[in-house]
Amino acid sequence: MQKNITKIRVIYADTDAMGIVYHTNYIKWFEVGRNEFMRGNDLRYAEIERAGFFLPATEVVCRFLASAKYDDVVRIETSLGHFRRANIRFEYEIWDESRNTLLSEGHTLHSFVKDGKITRPPEQFAAKLAALME
């Protein structure tokens, strides 16, 4: 299973009054990881949208296991959980930079939507996604 690794540094604006990363930022980091995973596998969101398709999130699960703090570097590991007909599940693990502490884990589920209806993606995208599942 292919995995994308993206590292980012925690900025002050992502923390709360205690200097700990505010919980919603982990979901934002899921999006960063997902975008980099797609881009790294020649599946750009802009191209999908030009074809008239969108990938809204239909489910988000995030388990918080440890805290990240201001100026920490976090490692976002993203992989494809499944691709079935019209939906994609991405799996995430957010680690500290040295990969000693798992900070968060979760997944997002997305459906291909065209003209407001859930539908299968075009064959060119489906083939790329299916190949990633092998």
Side-chain angles (χ1 to χ4, degrees):
M1 179 67 60
Q2 186 169 357
K3 186 180 288 190
N4 175 272
I5 297 169
T6 305
K7 291 183 180 181
I8 59 173
R9 184 173 300 277
V10 175
I11 62 172
Y12 189 75
D14 288 342
T15 64
D16 60 18
M18 297 176 289
I20 296 172
V21 171
Y22 188 67
H23 70 280
T24 59
N25 287 297
Y26 290 86
I27 295 168
K28 182 174 70 173
W29 294 342
F30 285 3
E31 183 175 357
V32 169
R34 182 173 63 254
N35 274 273
E36 292 304 316
F37 178 91
M38 295 283 283
R39 185 175 289 112
N41 288 289
D42 197 29
L43 290 161
R44 295 179 180 12
Y45 274 108
E47 185 179 334
I48 292 168
E49 290 178 357
R50 277 193 298 275
F53 293 83
F54 295 89
L55 279 169
T58 58
E59 179 177 280
V60 177
V61 172
C62 184
R63 288 177 210 78
F64 304 101
L65 306 169
S67 298
K69 297 177 181 63
Y70 169 69
D71 208 36
D72 288 352
V73 173
V74 296
R75 174 186 172 110
I76 307 162
E77 298 186 7
T78 308
S79 59
L80 193 58
H82 74 243
F83 166 59
R84 295 188 187 122
R85 293 192 202 175
N87 66 49
I88 306 172
R89 179 176 163 141
F90 292 93
E91 306 284 341
Y92 311 92
E93 291 182 342
I94 299 178
W95 293 84
D96 65 329
E97 184 177 23
S98 59
R99 208 173 188 276
N100 291 324
T101 304
L102 180 60
L103 305 172
S104 176
E105 63 184 3
H107 71 265
T108 58
L109 187 65
H110 303 262
S111 294
F112 277 92
V113 172
K114 185 171 186 174
D115 300 324
K117 297 179 183 170
I118 295 175
T119 185
R120 292 179 187 220
E123 182 54 38
Q124 67 195 49
F125 300 118
K128 288 178 184 179
L129 290 165
L132 291 171
M133 294 303 303
E134 295 175 353

